[in-house]
Amino acid sequence: MSASPDLSAVLADSDAEQLRKLGYTSNFNRSMSLWENFALGFTYLSPVVGVYTLFGLCLAAGGPPMFWAYLLVGCGQLLVCLIFGEVVSQFPISGGVYPWARRLVGKRWAWMVGWIYSIALCVTIAAVAVGAGPYLAAMMGFEPSNNTNIIIALVLTLFATLVNLSGTKVLARIAMFGFLCELVGAVIVGVYLLIFERHQSISVLFNTFDISVDGSYLPAFLTASLAGMFLYYGFEACGDVAEETPNPSKRIPVAMRMTIYIGGISAMFACLALILAVPDMQAVINGTDKDPVTTILNNAFGPVGSKVVMGVVMISFISCVISLQAAASRLLYSYARDEMVIGSRLLKKISPYDAGSGCRAVRLRCPAGADHHPRLLPAGCSRHHRQLRGHRHLPGVPDDRARGPVRPHEGLETKRQIHPRRLGLGGEHRRTGLWCRGHYQHGLATDTGCRVVHQLRHGTEHGHRDWFGPALHVDRQAV
């Protein structure tokens, strides 16, 4: 019996096969969709955080032409994104730039690249968390200070840690929620400012207001371009969770490009709306108005409305810190898996929230009247691997039909459903098997000779009809 193309597409485990060729097996739950993967990169890039954090500083340093820094830096980072997309399509491994560098330039340079990236992530996590303090103070109505900003940063970092400990699914859902809030909030606030709170003409984008350093505007513009540099990184986070995304070789490059396109456009739109809504540009440039964002929002939305906007900004900060920590944790795991850091044995362990929640049971039903054990054995999950070694011979099952190699857990199944009709099978049924990771990990049998398909992979091993007797029927349910 040959497998249909649809069956092969559903049962194929090309992701695990590709990882095995790279020397790894994965224990992650591949439950992150394309849009959830993109949302992780978007909230890491976070146009609201990037624009609102440095808007006042960069506007004072370079004037309204600082807007063009977003366009120039965005074009350059798009080229980097295209290269990263090509690399991750060949090496879809958790950890991002470290495992890529390990395969491109060797482990010595990769060790250095990984540490530089980890330091950058730690600094960015701290910077974003501290930057949330003034916005939370404005929302709650108290005066910000260095001490309060540090306390807020610590609480925010702790909360992000707890979220990341809760597993891939929770991380993906929060990232998607943060993405929706941030994008919708940026668009609504930007449209409102452009329509009802516009104080500058579009020509102001070309007005330097006589800002110069040693008679040249270029140093001032380069200083203001820090806004674009602070914004346009984070798309690589899509590749940091490659082992948690189905079909990563195709999906992650798309998610990276989407991050640049949508994140860059929304950031430029938010920056444009803020620039045109500045009531007194000269006051910002000479330092009289040190917080133009708060001034704009208070003038446009009033005390209550501005707090609502600050709430959206806080959601952006929170989701940004969570995504940053997700990238950092995957990098550390990748380091530990290659035993490149102290404490590798502990750091490379996967939380049960990530490793255990993706298993799915399959009910493999035999003809009515068959006398067999309706037994479910946990196969394919790493935490049951040792236990499985003792179950190669099942009670009441002939030895020649119960033997089969036990495979360690290699990852987790996605949410795809297998409808019985897609197998072209039918009949009256009872259950005797387990499904995990998109294929059967271990053969199970009954005393009637009905055997679960052993290692369905790529449509090449999908059982033997003479084992089953009458046709079978497959469906699945959560364990």
Side-chain angles (χ1 to χ4, degrees):
M1 183 175 64
S2 62
S4 66
D6 288 342
L7 178 61
S8 298
V10 172
L11 301 182
D13 193 12
S14 58
D15 300 340
E17 184 66 27
Q18 187 175 18
L19 272 179
R20 277 194 297 274
K21 291 179 180 179
L22 295 171
Y24 297 108
T25 57
S26 177
N27 293 328
F28 283 106
N29 180 2
R30 289 188 186 270
S31 60
M32 188 173 286
S33 67
L34 169 64
W35 281 95
E36 289 170 338
N37 185 273
F38 154 71
L40 183 71
F42 182 92
T43 53
Y44 184 137
L45 182 143
S46 191
V48 169
V49 173
V51 172
Y52 281 47
T53 301
L54 294 181
F55 178 77
L57 173 66
C58 294
L59 186 62
M66 55 85 67
F67 168 81
W68 301 110
Y70 287 104
L71 180 61
L72 296 175
V73 177
C75 291
Q77 287 295 86
L78 177 60
L79 300 178
V80 177
C81 175
L82 295 176
I83 296 173
F84 278 16
E86 180 65 27
V87 174
V88 75
S89 69
Q90 301 298 318
F91 310 115
I93 308 171
S94 289
V97 296
Y98 158 69
W100 304 343
R102 184 181 177 93
R103 280 148 188 83
L104 293 174
V105 294
K107 64 180 183 180
R108 291 185 179 181
W109 287 101
W111 181 86
M112 185 175 70
V113 168
W115 274 112
I116 293 174
Y117 185 47
S118 64
I119 293 171
L121 284 171
C122 292
V123 171
T124 307
I125 290 171
V128 174
V130 171
Y135 292 98
L136 182 62
M139 184 179 70
M140 302 299 295
F142 62 86
E143 191 68 24
S145 65
N146 290 336
N147 291 335
T148 57
N149 289 343
I150 292 174
I151 293 174
I152 292 171
L154 292 175
V155 172
L156 180 54
T157 304
L158 176 61
F159 175 75
T161 303
L162 295 176
V163 169
N164 275 282
L165 287 174
S166 61
T168 300
K169 290 185 178 180
V170 175
L171 171 65
R173 290 170 183 170
I174 291 181
M176 179 60 71
F177 175 75
F179 156 66
L180 293 175
C181 290
E182 186 167 355
L183 183 62
V184 172
V187 171
I188 292 177
V189 171
V191 169
Y192 184 89
L193 292 178
L194 289 175
I195 296 176
F196 301 106
E197 197 64 23
R198 182 172 172 177
H199 297 284
Q200 307 289 337
S201 65
I202 197 71
S203 62
V204 76
L205 298 178
F206 303 92
N207 189 349
T208 64
F209 286 86
D210 297 325
I211 299 174
S212 65
V213 177
D214 296 330
S216 173
Y217 176 70
L218 182 60
F221 179 77
L222 293 176
T223 303
S225 65
L226 177 64
M229 297 169 61
F230 187 71
L231 172 73
Y232 281 108
Y233 67 96
F235 53 86
E236 77 280 357
C238 300
D240 289 334
V241 292
E243 294 177 31
E244 297 158 75
T245 306
N247 196 13
S249 294
K250 291 185 178 180
R251 290 186 175 184
I252 291 178
V254 174
M256 285 182 173
R257 295 194 300 270
M258 289 170 60
T259 301
I260 293 290
Y261 298 150
I262 300 177
I265 292 173
S266 58
M268 292 179 67
F269 179 74
C271 181
L272 176 64
L274 289 174
I275 289 174
L276 299 185
V278 173
D280 188 351
M281 191 66 67
Q282 197 62 51
V284 176
I285 293 174
N286 61 28
T288 303
D289 186 358
K290 297 182 179 180
D291 190 1
V293 173
T294 302
T295 302
I296 293 169
L297 296 180
N298 286 333
N299 292 340
F301 300 101
V304 177
S306 63
K307 290 184 178 180
V308 174
V309 175
M310 292 297 179
V312 176
V313 174
M314 279 302 304
I315 293 176
S316 302
F317 272 94
I318 293 171
S319 58
C320 182
V321 174
I322 291 173
S323 298
L324 285 163
Q325 274 207 356
S329 63
R330 272 63 177 180
L331 172 64
L332 186 59
Y333 166 77
S334 182
Y335 250 129
R337 182 165 59 178
D338 290 339
E339 297 184 352
M340 297 283 282
V341 67
I342 297 175
S344 296
R345 183 175 298 180
L346 176 64
L347 295 174
K348 66 182 178 182
K349 291 183 179 180
I350 302 296
S351 164
Y353 292 104
D354 286 320
S357 62
C359 293
R360 297 289 184 269
V362 166
R363 294 182 293 177
L364 193 62
R365 304 173 177 182
C366 296
D371 183 17
H372 66 281
H373 302 281
R375 178 188 302 268
L376 269 176
L377 288 182
C381 296
S382 58
R383 64 181 184 275
H384 298 303
H385 181 213
R386 293 182 182 176
Q387 185 179 1
L388 274 171
R389 292 178 179 173
H391 289 286
R392 297 195 181 199
H393 304 280
L394 304 181
V397 183
D399 287 350
D400 61 337
R401 293 186 178 183
R403 291 192 179 100
V406 179
R407 299 263 181 171
H409 177 58
E410 296 173 352
L412 301 167
E413 169 60 328
T414 64
K415 297 180 179 179
R416 294 177 294 186
Q417 298 291 332
I418 302 176
H419 195 279
R421 293 182 181 176
R422 300 185 69 175
L423 298 176
L425 305 174
E428 298 294 328
H429 318 290
R430 294 181 185 175
R431 68 184 186 183
T432 61
L434 188 81
W435 171 269
C436 189
R437 187 74 186 108
H439 53 272
Y440 295 103
Q441 293 281 352
H442 185 62
L444 301 180
T446 67
D447 58 0
T448 63
C450 295
R451 180 174 179 177
V452 176
V453 182
H454 173 64
Q455 281 293 71
L456 286 179
R457 188 185 300 278
H458 303 296
T460 58
E461 295 179 328
H462 42 81
H464 302 278
R465 197 169 182 80
D466 58 335
W467 284 2
F468 294 122
L472 300 179
H473 206 160
V474 181
D475 65 345
R476 51 180 273 191
Q477 65 181 6
V479 174

